Amino acid sequence: MVHPYRSLPPRALWHDGVAGADRHRFADLWRPRHALTRDTRIATFGSCFARHVARALREAGCTVLDAEPRPPMMPPAVAEARGYGVFAARTGNVYTARQMRELLEDAATGRVDPRLVWRRGARFVDALRPRIEPLGMGSEAEVLALRAWHLERLARTLRQAETLVLTLGLTEFWEDAEAGRALPLCPGVAGGTFDPSRHLWRQARSAEVLEELRTIRRLLERFRPGMRMLLTVSPVPLAATASGDHVLLATTRAKAVLRAAVAEFVEDTPEADYFPALELATHPACATGRWWEPDWRGVTAEGVGRIMGVFLAAQGLGPALPPRPLPAEAADPEAAEDASCDEILLASVARR
Amino acid sequence: MTRIAVIGNSHLACLREAWAGGAIRREGRATDFLGLHGDGLLDTVIEGGTLRAASDATAAQLVRLNGTDRLRLDGVGAVVVAGCMMAPATAARIWRDMRWWGLPSLHAAGDLADLEAAFVPRAAAAAALRAHLEASLALRLARRLVAAGVRVLVASQPRPCETVLDRPRPLALSARAAVMAGDGAHLSAFHEGVARAACAAAGALYVPQPEATRIRGMLTARPFTEGALRLAPRPGQRQPPEDAIHANARYGALMLGAIWAAVEGRQAA
């Protein structure tokens, strides 16, 4: 009997590709469509897990763009609390495809919207990155001026980028219906006042995510024709859901929808690729060590190191394993995540 | 009799000279001085109500510059930490790298796209300055002294001399640039607010540079720097002519006056 499965390579068969594979290295799990070199100009964005991607690329000596580098006189601890050196710009976490699309539109147009300035006590915050300045700003005008400058720097950097790395994390989000914008955080959590008639909970479906990704692709072409996209899905579970579902089910739903949309997008888009961080972190055949923190939400330094080790090895950018030791500040990834993850904030607020 | 002790780095010299000159001596006032260059005062310990050198080398340096290697703290009305990088020049270096809302030069510029420095929230610039001041020798010493139960005042280091406008000096390039950009007054107020808060958080009272000695916000008027003395074993050793960061006895007298006013509660520093 002759049939197509007879000639499949080992990686296509569970017996060889998984059960019989060196699952520590997983050398053949990901075959990059596009080679990254240390000279490739990379711009990273995304949710909490994306910061690990950016850090690993930097440590591997890659050219990771930074639109808003830390001013030399700003001490590292002060800068870290303000989102310096994390993503391609001080965007804060970008959780959803829609948030990313709207960010790119803003960067393309320079548009700032006074409706997206929140009050936090006597201070003011940027609703689209509400935790970027822990102490808030002194006036609405200051928020808007800083946002305009941020967008200008972001646009400048996007025009240089050859590869955009985007880690998607969520499908559910809050929308400011008046401004027509997806928000990274529910109003009232880190500023602003929740208004149920204005702030609407949304749950993106896979078709919507797919369409957002297509629009993102078109927008990137405007900044730099031929820019490639490398997509990942964050394995970090939701800290809280407003869907009415159990948070574990909401997590599975979100990751499944993102994974499906990304798969279809990559299948249709030669310039795009997908790195399986989600699979590496969540499938029991892959996550064979101490990959998860006791709360089952934070990925340990070991887990991050293994995931990024697979990434770098596949790209020929670093040793497959063991991964480079992470810098001291990343020794406690839970602490690092806690400091930066808006979702953690959401959960802590929910418990009050 | 109220006794205060003044410790510091090279910026102690103007205060010591002013006291020696007698301008602000009054009956019932006594002032001790203990100075050491650089961050040498970190190599001291406080034991049994006395601040003393922690090593033989530091003890020798203290004796060479002060005639003693220790300072008695028991019964002292206050310890004043003078200079020791509680310096407005730090704010100028922040300004060199960052701009924030409210700076006159920023609003005059119009298009921020051409801004070379980073545009940051004013709160971020303040946090950066505060972190530097908290790490300064002045506040490191102040925290030790406060922990020892001593009342502590921190006296500001003087601003660079106005002569830097005509003759740029490496240590004062940023202050000069800020003044020339029209940001001197704003930057001065910015520094004062952050310095006051940082000192208060350390349990110390901040004594700013006397207003009468300042010019264009971030500079010291020439009459208060000419003839500045060095912290040296022999009295009367002058700073080199190119020096633009040390103040003279005239300045020292005003600063000591402000210090005594604060100690005696006649005027909030």
Side-chain angles (χ1 to χ4, degrees):
Chain A
M1 293 281 285
V2 176
H3 56 77
Y5 290 88
R6 277 200 175 277
S7 56
L8 288 175
R11 71 191 298 265
L13 303 169
W14 191 269
H15 177 272
D16 299 323
V18 179
D22 175 357
R23 295 195 301 275
H24 195 68
R25 295 178 61 240
F26 251 124
D28 209 18
L29 181 68
W30 180 47
R31 290 181 174 176
R33 269 187 184 174
H34 315 110
L36 292 178
T37 72
R38 289 190 167 82
D39 296 325
T40 306
R41 294 188 296 274
I42 302 167
T44 66
F45 300 90
S47 59
C48 300
F49 192 78
R51 65 188 57 227
H52 298 309
V53 178
R55 184 181 294 143
L57 289 168
R58 281 196 190 92
E59 288 175 6
C62 294
T63 306
V64 181
L65 298 174
D66 189 351
E68 298 170 88
R70 175 176 70 87
M73 275 295 283
M74 185 175 284
V78 174
E80 190 178 342
R82 289 165 172 80
Y84 283 93
V86 179
F87 301 120
R90 294 173 63 232
T91 56
N93 289 340
V94 176
Y95 292 105
T96 62
R98 177 166 162 185
Q99 199 189 337
M100 185 69 210
R101 185 258 296 169
E102 291 175 346
L103 175 65
L104 292 173
E105 288 173 345
D106 285 351
T109 61
R111 174 185 61 196
V112 295
D113 188 339
R115 292 172 297 183
L116 294 166
V117 178
W118 287 346
R119 293 296 295 261
R120 187 198 294 158
R123 306 287 289 173
F124 297 82
V125 299
D126 183 344
L128 298 176
R129 42 178 194 158
R131 297 179 69 206
I132 207 70
E133 173 45 60
L135 300 173
M137 272 66 90
S139 66
E140 180 183 297
E142 183 181 9
V143 174
L144 294 173
L146 284 160
R147 181 153 193 86
W149 191 80
H150 159 69
L151 292 174
E152 194 279 330
R153 288 298 193 269
L154 174 59
R156 194 183 292 192
T157 293
L158 286 168
R159 286 192 286 272
Q160 299 172 1
E162 296 170 298
T163 296
L164 178 127
V165 179
L166 174 60
T167 301
L168 296 169
L170 300 178
T171 52
E172 64 176 88
F173 60 93
W174 289 91
E175 180 187 60
D176 183 331
E178 194 177 307
R181 295 297 300 264
L183 302 170
L185 258 181
C186 182
V189 175
T193 304
F194 182 73
D195 175 354
S197 67
R198 174 175 173 178
H199 301 122
L200 309 177
W201 182 81
R202 299 289 191 205
Q203 177 75 287
R205 298 183 165 214
S206 60
E208 295 171 75
V209 177
L210 180 57
E211 191 50 41
E212 296 288 9
L213 289 171
R214 289 173 176 150
T215 308
I216 288 170
R217 170 92 200 106
R218 288 193 291 272
L219 286 164
L220 292 176
E221 281 291 309
R222 288 171 57 182
F223 286 103
R224 184 180 174 86
M227 193 192 306
R228 289 169 174 161
M229 294 174 68
L230 179 51
L231 299 162
T232 66
V233 174
S234 168
V236 177
L238 278 65
T241 180
S243 64
D245 270 341
H246 189 285
V247 68
L248 191 145
L249 301 184
T251 294
T252 308
R253 191 259 181 216
K255 307 303 177 184
V257 164
L258 291 172
R259 181 68 188 90
V262 168
E264 290 186 39
F265 176 71
V266 170
E267 285 160 11
D268 295 343
T269 314
E271 297 84 5
D273 197 0
Y274 169 72
F275 171 69
L278 177 68
E279 287 83 347
L280 281 164
T282 59
H283 198 283
C286 305
T288 54
R290 187 175 170 274
W291 284 50
W292 291 92
E293 297 291 351
D295 67 356
W296 295 102
R297 184 162 186 275
V299 183
T300 63
E302 178 187 348
V304 171
R306 291 266 299 279
I307 292 167
M308 295 315 299
V310 170
F311 181 99
L312 295 172
Q315 286 285 0
L317 290 170
L321 284 172
R324 290 180 186 204
L326 293 171
E329 73 230 32
D332 181 358
E334 191 177 43
E337 296 263 271
D338 277 0
S340 57
C341 179
D342 293 333
E343 278 208 282
I344 285 280
L345 185 65
L346 202 59
S348 69
V349 169
R351 283 195 295 269
R352 279 176 204 154
Chain B
M1 170 70 72
T2 300
R3 184 171 66 87
I4 66 170
V6 184
I7 66 173
N9 56 5
S10 58
H11 296 283
L12 178 102
C14 65
L15 304 177
R16 192 159 69 177
E17 188 190 6
W19 180 257
I24 37 92
R25 284 179 190 255
R26 301 281 186 279
E27 194 170 334
R29 287 179 178 177
T31 308
D32 295 331
F33 295 91
L34 193 75
L36 202 53
H37 291 291
D39 60 0
L41 283 171
L42 280 180
D43 189 33
T44 55
V45 292
I46 301 172
E47 280 178 350
T50 300
L51 184 148
R52 63 170 179 77
S55 69
D56 291 344
T58 296
Q61 284 296 317
L62 283 172
V63 169
R64 193 175 74 88
L65 291 169
N66 306 275
T68 178
D69 66 350
R70 61 196 59 210
L71 192 65
R72 196 164 48 80
L73 299 178
D74 53 337
V76 76
V79 174
V80 181
V81 182
C84 295
M85 294 310 295
M86 181 51 64
T90 307
R93 289 164 62 215
I94 297 278
W95 179 91
R96 178 194 63 200
D97 292 348
M98 309 173 214
R99 296 290 189 277
W100 53 90
W101 195 249
L103 280 168
S105 68
L106 188 89
H107 298 283
D111 188 2
L112 300 184
D114 298 329
L115 197 61
E116 284 187 22
F119 181 36
V120 304
R122 189 182 191 281
L129 175 57
R130 181 159 173 165
H132 282 282
L133 295 181
E134 285 177 341
S136 69
L137 175 61
L139 285 188
R140 292 167 76 182
L141 292 171
R143 284 191 293 269
R144 277 193 202 175
L145 290 159
V146 168
V150 178
R151 184 184 178 200
V152 179
L153 280 65
V154 175
S156 174
Q157 202 158 301
R159 289 152 172 77
C161 176
E162 64 173 313
T163 55
V164 301
L165 290 174
D166 299 326
R167 290 178 295 153
R169 291 281 179 272
L171 290 174
L173 289 177
S174 300
R176 176 181 189 270
V179 166
M180 295 183 77
D183 288 339
H186 179 103
L187 191 56
S188 175
F190 173 74
H191 163 79
E192 296 300 328
V194 175
R196 193 179 303 276
C199 288
L205 183 68
Y206 175 66
V207 185
Q209 175 172 347
E211 189 72 45
T213 66
R214 304 184 207 167
I215 191 164
R216 299 181 73 174
M218 288 301 287
L219 301 173
T220 299
R222 190 192 304 244
F224 298 98
T225 62
E226 283 175 333
L229 293 188
R230 295 179 58 205
L231 179 65
R234 286 181 290 110
Q237 279 191 268
R238 303 222 168 272
Q239 293 284 353
E242 65 271 21
D243 176 78
I245 63 169
H246 291 94
N248 61 18
R250 188 173 169 192
Y251 172 97
L254 287 175
M255 180 54 108
L256 263 185
I259 288 168
W260 273 107
V263 169
E264 294 167 347
R266 287 183 285 106
Q267 176 185 323

